[in-house]
Amino acid sequence: MATLEGCRCRSAGSRSNNSILYSILKSDSLPLAEEPQEPNPQQQQQQQQQQSLQQLFHKTSASFPTCATTTSSSTTTTSSSGGTPAASLLELRQQACSCGSTRRRGVLRSPQVTCKAASAVLVKTLRFVKNVPCFRELPDDDQLMLIRSGWAPLLVLGLAQDRVDFETTETVEPSMLQRILTGAPERQGEAHGCQGRSPGPAVGVSVLDIEAIKAFLKKCWSVDISTKEYAYLKGAVLFNPDVEGLRCLHYIQSLRREAHQALNEHVRLIHHKDTTRFAKLLITLSMLRAISPPVVAQLFLRPVIGSVNIEEVLMEMFYGK
């Protein structure tokens, strides 16, 4: 069992039920009916967060576009196996950057429905993180850094678990020559090359980024990941030792190892005939590296929160500030 060396934690004798195997699974599968009937401050915070999200939806529902105005086509995944490796997606993105096809962008076909579902998943995701005792024992600085690095992959994992599918409409961004001829303003960062370009809210996100998200969702659904497996995968994503500046690095590394070990033990117990399932789950998890957090925010949250800083929204929802 992992120990929290040099960090604020409970004594070793009082943490018998706080291993990653216990706390992650308990946090993700605890039914709402088991919660106490009398509201406590944490439940009141959760209710206020959900009410504030609902108010945001009511305020912004009238401003949703019904459809994009240019070329319309549903974005589909080109991989017949249900997913494309992260390295291949990165190579495709680099090749597209040189030929100019990154001007192909996409927006949600039904933002009212998709953004509402994504925001509900975000609330559930933050509640899951809050209920993991191993996470709450970490210093506040480490909690903050782990939330910042993990909210987007955790949200996409939640979309897969809740089977939230979405359709997009493609819109082609005008080329440099078209802007010159029509007198359209140059987008910020375009003069510095593809790496300096930042997608504007009016033209959605890159089609390649959309394909990466859809490829991950289809891969999860093809593997038919169970609720317990999703819980362990979330633990592996949440406790990310690659984040720079962590105070409890060794403890977080041990928590990720425990998440992987718990997942492996569960797979060997339930799917003992499928000797490749654990490897399939790790490959599926690696596909999250090709998904950019700014893309997730732009696609699923910007239509709701507008230009508000996403990190400020996350901190307000998590800490109730």
Side-chain angles (χ1 to χ4, degrees), residues 81-231:
S81 61
T84 307
S88 301
L89 287 169
L90 291 175
E91 291 174 0
L92 285 172
R93 187 176 288 109
Q94 292 172 356
Q95 294 172 4
C97 188
S98 61
C99 69
S101 63
T102 50
R103 289 192 297 271
R104 295 178 56 221
R105 312 185 73 81
V107 295
L108 291 174
R109 185 181 292 273
S110 301
Q112 302 97 324
V113 177
T114 305
C115 292
K116 184 175 182 179
S119 296
V121 171
L122 181 61
V123 171
K124 291 170 59 177
T125 298
L126 294 178
R127 186 169 62 220
F128 160 76
V129 174
K130 269 187 173 183
N131 291 333
V132 177
C134 297
F135 179 82
R136 296 312 299 264
E137 291 173 355
L138 293 171
D140 292 341
D141 293 343
D142 283 6
Q143 292 184 29
L144 182 62
M145 287 186 285
L146 291 178
I147 291 175
R148 285 175 172 170
S149 70
W151 73 267
L154 286 173
L155 174 58
V156 177
L157 260 176
L159 294 176
Q161 182 175 6
D162 289 359
R163 291 192 169 267
V164 177
D165 202 358
F166 63 95
E167 296 296 332
T168 57
T169 298
E170 186 176 321
T171 176
V172 180
E173 183 184 359
S175 65
M176 176 75 75
L177 179 59
Q178 289 174 323
R179 288 199 187 93
I180 294 174
L181 294 176
T182 59
E186 181 180 348
R187 292 183 60 207
Q188 182 181 3
E190 187 167 38
H192 302 287
C194 292
Q195 292 182 352
R197 295 172 64 180
S198 57
V203 293
V205 299
S206 169
V207 168
L208 291 175
D209 288 322
I210 295 174
E211 289 177 349
I213 297 175
K214 294 183 75 68
F216 175 78
L217 296 178
K218 290 183 179 180
K219 183 66 175 178
C220 290
W221 299 334
S222 67
V223 176
D224 195 18
I225 302 175
S226 68
T227 300
K228 291 183 179 180
E229 289 168 339
Y230 273 117

Side-chain angles (χ1 to χ4, degrees), residues 213-272:
I213 297 175
K214 294 183 75 68
F216 175 78
L217 296 178
K218 290 183 179 180
K219 183 66 175 178
C220 290
W221 299 334
S222 67
V223 176
D224 195 18
I225 302 175
S226 68
T227 300
K228 291 183 179 180
E229 289 168 339
Y230 273 117
Y232 297 134
L233 291 175
K234 290 177 184 178
V237 171
L238 175 63
F239 298 108
N240 181 11
D242 297 331
V243 177
E244 295 183 2
L246 292 172
R247 291 171 55 188
C248 300
L249 176 61
H250 296 297
Y251 178 58
I252 293 172
Q253 286 176 333
S254 65
L255 288 175
R256 171 170 279 192
R257 283 196 300 268
E258 283 193 22
H260 285 160
Q261 291 171 1
L263 175 63
N264 192 17
E265 291 174 6
H266 172 77
V267 169
R268 292 168 68 178
L269 177 65
I270 304 300
H271 304 276
H272 56 275

Side-chain angles (χ1 to χ4, degrees), residues 305-320:
I305 65 174
S307 58
V308 178
N309 189 325
I310 180 62
E311 289 189 1
E312 293 180 359
V313 174
L314 290 171
M315 294 305 103
E316 183 177 353
M317 294 175 63
F318 189 80
Y319 293 107

Side-chain angles (χ1 to χ4, degrees), residues 45-63:
Q45 274 188 13
Q46 294 172 7
Q47 293 174 358
Q48 291 174 357
Q49 291 167 6
Q50 292 176 349
Q51 290 174 358
S52 61
L53 275 176
Q54 291 175 356
Q55 291 174 358
L56 279 173
F57 280 118
H58 289 308
K59 290 180 180 179
T60 57
S61 59
S63 62

